[in-house]
Amino acid sequence: MQHHDYVLVVVRNLQQANDDDYVKVLRKQGYRVEVVPAGEDPIPIMLARPPIAACFQFDYPDLQGLTDLRHAKQRVASVPMLMITQAHSEHLAVWAFRCRVWDYFVHPIDMPRFLAVLESLRHTKLSGNPSPSPNGHPEPISSLDSQNAIPHEARLRCPPPESGQAHIDRAITFIDKNLHRKIAQSEVADSCHLSTFQFSRLFKRLTGSTFQDYVLHRRITEAKRLLANPRVSITDVCFTVGFSDLSYFTRTFQRYVGQPPSRYRVGMTEATFSPSAPPETAPKNDDIKSVARAEIPEPDTSPYRS
């Protein structure tokens, strides 16, 4: 069977968002990539124009998705199948290799190894040389399939144990409890049981803001609330919301609010004691997307308290 110089990506995600950064890397490396969206059958394409490899992309594999992969391997046995998933599961990995999946990758993908595998397959398939078995087993696929039940966790056909919003709610609670100190994205990701890569993508998708932008926005919002109390010094407000340098706090506050903390406090006081002035609307904890327009220092060099 003649193979064509492209990589086929078969999307079988349960959720709408696609973790496709690896696709962008492939294209930058000169690979031609074609994508089969969820719900479409990849087998006609694989039969008409066999690719050098087919990447089955899952977030959390379910019964239908794994059945599709196994069926594709049975129908187009000469095409190497790669499995890419967010699920860290030994049972799934064993199942995949017994189905003669060529290789198994878990997010965040080890890109050097992933590219090395594809380059090897590309060289082999386009040169016309027969491909060795990925695991060295000569058993026919039917023999392997008869001993390889789909893992129970996929048969449940259920979403991941926590929704994305549940992770973000936990992260926001963590941030609010720790505004007084430097907050590393990695420790918040750990508290959500996610990798830093997964957490970063999920946070941006659900809040519309990067993690560092959101934290800085929350610090300024909290500072505005504290400044309403005239008995609290501006220096104490600065330290309480996680800044260790008063001048940096003043500059940052002015960039966000349009005036320095001292003038903001005077304005609040005048509004409070003026009988004709309407009460100030409480600061809103939204409009996070506006934070992305501010010039924000890199998180590792910002003088937050540690």
Side-chain angles (χ1 to χ4, degrees):
M1 181 178 288
Q2 180 183 358
H3 289 259
H4 297 254
D5 189 11
Y6 76 102
V7 176
L8 188 67
V9 173
V10 182
V11 178
R12 288 296 181 266
N13 288 0
L14 294 177
Q15 300 174 352
Q16 291 184 350
N18 294 338
D19 295 302
D20 56 0
D21 283 352
Y22 72 96
V23 174
K24 298 176 184 176
V25 173
L26 285 179
R27 287 177 171 147
K28 287 182 179 179
Q29 294 293 321
Y31 286 90
R32 189 162 62 88
V33 179
E34 295 185 18
V35 178
V36 178
E40 292 190 13
D41 186 359
I43 293 178
I45 298 175
M46 296 168 66
L47 289 172
R49 293 182 300 108
I52 59 174
C55 301
F56 275 74
Q57 174 184 301
F58 300 88
D59 46 11
Y60 298 90
D62 67 341
L63 178 62
Q64 184 60 55
L66 296 184
T67 300
D68 289 348
L69 188 157
R70 182 162 60 184
H71 188 209
K73 186 60 184 174
Q74 291 172 339
R75 290 287 308 278
V76 199
S78 67
V79 174
M81 310 283 180
L82 306 182
M83 184 170 175
I84 301 172
T85 178
Q86 291 184 16
H88 295 254
S89 169
E90 181 180 350
H91 296 295
L92 283 171
V94 171
W95 177 89
F97 286 119
R98 285 180 176 173
C99 280
R100 306 188 81 169
V101 165
W102 192 270
D103 214 330
Y104 181 93
F105 295 88
V106 177
H107 283 286
I109 296 174
D110 181 348
M111 287 307 304
R113 185 171 74 85
F114 181 70
L115 292 173
V117 168
L118 279 179
E119 185 58 32
S120 174
L121 291 173
R122 186 182 204 177
H123 174 75
T124 301
K125 292 299 180 182
L126 298 183
S127 67
N129 296 326
S131 300
S133 170
N135 50 29
H137 293 303
E139 295 94 341
I141 294 177
S142 59
S143 172
L144 290 172
D145 283 346
S146 66
Q147 307 170 37
N148 193 29
I150 289 178
H152 177 68
E153 60 207 78
R155 289 180 176 274
L156 295 176
R157 303 176 68 90
C158 59
E162 281 193 279
S163 68
Q165 189 59 53
H167 287 307
I168 297 306
D169 290 344
R170 179 182 296 178
I172 289 174
T173 299
F174 185 98
I175 292 168
D176 287 343
K177 288 183 177 179
N178 293 276
L179 276 180
H180 62 282
R181 65 177 182 87
K182 183 174 181 178
I183 305 173
Q185 181 171 276
S186 57
E187 67 172 326
V188 184
D190 288 342
S191 74
C192 297
H193 309 295
L194 296 172
S195 70
T196 302
F197 172 82
Q198 291 171 323
F199 176 77
S200 176
R201 285 177 60 87
L202 182 65
F203 195 93
K204 180 65 182 292
R205 177 165 62 86
L206 294 185
T207 68
S209 170
T210 67
F211 172 77
Q212 293 297 339
D213 289 348
Y214 180 88
V215 171
L216 195 52
H217 173 83
R218 284 293 300 120
R219 294 188 196 279
I220 297 302
T221 300
E222 179 65 8
K224 291 167 69 177
R225 188 185 70 82
L226 294 174
L227 287 168
N229 185 349
R231 297 184 179 181
V232 180
S233 71
I234 293 177
T235 300
D236 286 342
V237 171
C238 165
F239 291 142
T240 299
V241 298
F243 292 87
S244 59
D245 182 272
L246 182 59
S247 62
Y248 174 73
F249 166 66
T250 300
R251 293 195 306 271
T252 304
F253 189 94
Q254 182 163 358
R255 183 162 62 245
Y256 276 86
V257 182
Q259 54 188 336
S262 56
R263 188 175 301 171
Y264 177 81
R265 167 171 278 174
V266 170
M268 292 189 68
T269 302
E270 291 176 349
T272 300
F273 290 99
S274 173
S276 60
E280 183 188 18
T281 303
K284 295 181 179 180
N285 187 21
D286 55 7
D287 197 24
I288 299 171
K289 292 183 179 180
S290 65
V291 180
R293 295 194 291 268
E295 296 179 3
I296 302 171
E298 292 296 326
D300 292 339
T301 58
S302 298
Y304 297 134
R305 297 182 69 189
S306 56

